[in-house]
Amino acid sequence: MLPLISRRRALLGMASLGLTAAASPDDLGFVSVADFGVRPGMDDAGPGVRAAIARLGKRPGAVLHFPPGMYRFAAREGVAMLFDDMDHLTVEGEGATLLFNGTVAPVLMRGCRAPVLHGLTFDWERPPFSQGEVIAVGLDGRSVTIRIDPEFPVDGGETIRELGTYDRRTRAMAKHGIDVGNVVAGAILVAPQTLLLTLKWRVPFTIGDTVVARHQGGPSVIHLERCRDFVLSNLAIHAAPAIAIGIGGCDGGTVSGVRVEQQPGSARLMSSNADGLHCASCSGDLTITDCTFSGMGDDGINVTGLYLAVEPDKAQQRLILTGGQYAPAPPWAAPRIGDRLRLVSGSTLKPIDEVQAQSVEPLDGGRWAVQVPADHIGLSSEPMFAIDLRARTRLLVSRCAFPGNRARGVLAHSDAIVERSSFEHQSDSAILLAPDLYWQEGPAIEQTVVRGNLIQAANLLARTPAAILVGAFVAPAGRPGVPTSTIINRNVAIEGNHFLQPNGAAISAAATRDLRIEENRIEQASSIAFSLHHVRAARLSGNRCDPRAVVQVDAKSRGELIMDGNAGLGLEIDRRDD
């Protein structure tokens, strides 16, 4: 596979060397949007681009080419570029920038094999967020007046989903600042570029605060569904109504040289409204290298499986799988015949059993009826969730930069390596390794390594205990973020990382067996360097901390902890769990 040059150029180069018969671009399936009247600067490139895509047909190895320039797409909804069931498709640009509007989906690839997307920049004419400065606050704290920056024209009719305070110098969230959702009851334009927001409850804004307001959600800028061996290379995404890159139900892929970041040269404080890259229910190897993820309204990278809620149907000896609180579940999350499903307790995440899907029948509402051996029906009367063990991604994140964003830099689960990357100014943990039944993300952490990273000034809002957090969370009665003490994670190594000014501990780990924390360097931490609770077979060795701090551990875990060769670390027994 040739991700950095088009297959057309490779074939033409071979022809010039006499390695194959020369062929015309049409013979090679090469289509330029320019051949369909698409020109940089025109009012709407959409119709011509769709005509060019139609010319591609289903020819294997086809290439859709954008010459350099700025291309505007006028549609505010729907799909701008749809590619279904294609083999070895390449969509390429020589530095072309594509401008979109509203909640349109720029690129949707479904069921494609070995597709390549290369050399394009994606942006929005009017970014899907606004930013400005607080100039007045109501006496009761339930209203705030914001003067919006000129780059973000407003008329008072905007939907505002979330509000957050930012630091213009770092282009990240303000330390110990505000981050609230579903709080705006109404917005009124009281002067040019000035919005008066009525709030549902008191929020402690201060005059002079820089505020970012996120507007509508929408589809991903690039969405890959049930594709195989995809390549995303040398792309830039400067704005997105929701997720920048969404990957669902795919098998294997490579992401290299991709930049999800604020528009260079602008004063924008955000890029995408949600995750930079979100990969769910995928299998195979996902390699992400030499990328930048900055300014997202949620995680930089989130690679996860999906816990489906289980409703046993004893009468027909089957399990009904649903999306739970996120119903309907997406179609690409459906299990396949022969898949092994791990059933876990809804109250502790403890594994109950594994069953094999003998048949899978789609039902309405994003549900599936899965036939399983009769002796497995009704295993438990408590709430259960199922996760498909086939949809388990082997993740490598290497040499990437995360200069600042709301939420986490990387959220990962099993079979993951996060290495040689830099993290700074995340509002929460730089790296989160945790299954979570509230978000229905998993599986449990197994065979995961975090090594050789630089992590500084993370956890700006101090909502999490550490720069790297390993744990497990359940959701009793729908309450989010409730930790479980059940030991369900195993084989986790955190080694050779450099922590600088973590806002809290450097590492917090819980619900984990076979934990190694080795050769890490911690500078200017809080009084607690490492926090360990409900861990078994843990080893801390060769770590250095300056100034001196402590390892906080519960009494039972203390007997499971080996410490050797550390410098600047004391030991503190936390007896709150006794």
Side-chain angles (χ1 to χ4, degrees):
M1 186 172 295
L2 299 168
L4 300 182
I5 59 174
S6 75
R7 295 184 180 86
R8 170 182 175 266
R9 292 197 188 95
L11 290 170
L12 290 177
M14 292 169 64
S16 68
L17 295 173
L19 299 178
T20 185
S24 70
D26 282 343
D27 292 335
L28 297 172
F30 177 86
V31 174
S32 173
V33 297
D35 296 335
F36 292 82
V38 177
R39 298 288 183 269
M42 65 188 302
D43 290 340
D44 187 9
V49 170
R50 288 192 293 273
I53 293 171
R55 171 65 67 85
L56 294 175
K58 300 295 183 183
R59 186 178 306 176
V63 176
L64 179 67
H65 177 76
F66 285 84
M70 186 87 69
Y71 299 89
R72 291 181 171 84
F73 290 74
R76 300 188 62 83
E77 58 186 9
V79 178
M81 293 179 280
L82 173 63
F83 305 94
D84 265 328
D85 191 30
M86 299 184 72
D87 286 314
H88 295 88
L89 164 73
T90 294
V91 181
E92 65 172 15
E94 298 176 359
T97 295
L98 312 184
L99 281 179
F100 297 92
N101 291 275
T103 57
V104 70
V107 176
L108 174 57
M109 292 182 171
R110 297 186 301 204
C112 294
R113 291 156 293 279
V116 174
L117 191 60
H118 169 75
L120 292 165
T121 294
F122 298 84
D123 205 348
W124 253 247
E125 289 204 70
R126 199 303 187 183
F129 59 90
S130 299
Q131 62 188 53
E133 182 178 333
V134 173
I135 60 173
V137 178
L139 293 177
D140 60 357
R142 296 187 61 170
S143 66
V144 60
T145 304
I146 304 173
R147 182 186 296 118
I148 304 298
D149 293 355
E151 184 182 350
F152 307 89
V154 293
D155 60 14
E158 292 77 18
T159 298
I160 298 177
R161 300 176 60 192
E162 292 93 10
L163 295 171
T165 52
Y166 277 68
D167 183 329
R168 290 188 188 265
R169 179 184 60 84
T170 62
R171 301 179 86 179
M173 295 202 76
K175 188 173 183 178
H176 303 305
I178 293 168
D179 181 33
V180 290
N182 193 32
V183 67
V184 177
I188 302 173
L189 188 72
V190 294
Q193 287 298 105
T194 305
L195 292 178
L196 171 62
L197 306 184
T198 303
L199 308 178
K200 297 178 183 178
W201 59 85
R202 182 183 181 278
V203 180
F205 287 110
T206 300
I207 292 175
D209 282 346
T210 296
V211 175
V212 171
R214 288 186 281 162
H215 300 310
Q216 76 277 9
S220 304
V221 175
I222 299 167
H223 186 74
L224 304 168
E225 184 175 312
R226 291 177 174 164
C227 294
R228 179 186 302 168
D229 298 327
F230 62 85
V231 173
L232 307 179
S233 66
N234 290 22
L235 304 171
I237 300 175
H238 297 318
I243 293 169
I245 301 171
I247 305 168
C250 293
D251 183 7
T254 299
V255 182
S256 64
V258 170
R259 305 184 315 280
V260 179
E261 62 183 1
Q262 300 94 328
Q263 184 188 68
S266 76
R268 294 185 193 177
L269 298 173
M270 283 191 62
S271 54
S272 63
N273 273 1
D275 295 350
L277 183 150
H278 189 101
C279 175
S281 297
C282 293
S283 57
D285 296 316
L286 175 60
T287 300
I288 305 172
T289 57
D290 302 300
C291 295
T292 298
F293 295 91
S294 176
M296 292 73 58
D298 211 328
D299 303 319
I301 295 172
N302 184 345
V303 177
T304 181
L306 180 63
Y307 280 113
L308 296 171
V310 177
E311 300 173 0
D313 182 355
K314 298 180 182 180
Q316 299 192 47
Q317 298 182 355
R318 61 184 187 172
L319 302 176
I320 307 300
L321 304 184
T322 78
Q325 67 170 325
Y326 297 104
W332 39 259
R336 303 173 188 172
I337 295 173
D339 284 359
R340 294 200 64 80
L341 306 177
R342 177 175 293 167
L343 305 180
V344 303
S345 163
S347 57
T348 66
L349 267 169
K350 182 178 180 179
I352 295 173
D353 205 348
E354 289 184 11
V355 298
Q356 188 170 37
Q358 297 178 331
S359 68
V360 179
E361 176 189 353
L363 305 175
D364 60 359
R367 302 178 303 149
W368 300 279
V370 179
Q371 202 77 38
V372 298
D375 57 343
H376 290 292
I377 294 295
L379 286 172
S380 174
S381 59
E382 67 175 310
M384 288 189 298
F385 288 82
I387 194 161
D388 193 335
L389 296 182
R390 172 188 52 79
R392 182 164 161 162
T393 305
R394 294 180 296 273
L395 172 67
L396 172 64
V397 177
S398 185
R399 303 187 306 274
C400 292
F402 301 83
N405 62 285
R406 180 186 173 276
R408 283 78 44 165
V410 172
L411 195 163
H413 295 86
S414 289
D415 307 295
I417 298 174
V418 181
E419 65 172 17
R420 302 167 61 189
S421 297
S422 61
F423 298 82
E424 185 175 11
H425 295 136
Q426 280 69 46
S427 70
D428 299 297
S429 299
I431 300 172
L432 173 62
L433 307 174
D436 190 326
L437 284 184
Y438 180 81
W439 297 108
Q440 294 175 217
E441 294 180 339
I445 312 305
E446 298 179 16
Q447 303 176 52
T448 292
V449 179
V450 179
R451 64 191 179 202
N453 301 288
L454 172 62
I455 302 173
Q456 53 186 330
N459 198 19
L460 290 172
L461 299 186
R463 293 187 294 201
T464 60
I468 295 179
L469 176 59
V470 184
F473 300 97
V474 293
R479 289 187 292 123
V482 178
T484 176
S485 60
T486 305
I487 309 295
I488 61 168
N489 302 320
R490 62 185 178 90
N491 294 331
V492 177
I494 304 173
E495 54 194 25
N497 302 285
H498 183 187
F499 298 87
L500 182 61
Q501 294 180 317
N503 190 26
I507 299 170
S508 176
T512 302
R513 176 182 298 278
D514 299 320
L515 171 68
R516 291 189 296 110
I517 300 176
E518 299 178 334
E519 304 296 333
N520 297 285
R521 179 182 174 190
I522 304 100
E523 296 184 64
Q524 302 175 48
S526 68
S527 59
I528 299 173
F530 304 135
S531 175
L532 307 178
H533 292 78
H534 309 294
V535 299
R536 302 291 181 267
R539 185 181 190 96
L540 271 66
S541 64
N543 301 288
R544 293 179 294 154
C545 186
D546 183 21
R548 186 176 179 83
V550 301
V551 178
Q552 186 185 75
V553 60
D554 67 273
K556 188 171 183 179
S557 297
R558 174 64 185 96
E560 297 275 346
L561 174 63
I562 296 174
M563 294 180 62
D564 62 79
N566 300 292
L569 286 172
L571 185 66
E572 176 182 285
I573 305 300
D574 184 356
R575 300 194 178 279
R576 288 175 295 178
D577 294 333
D578 289 358

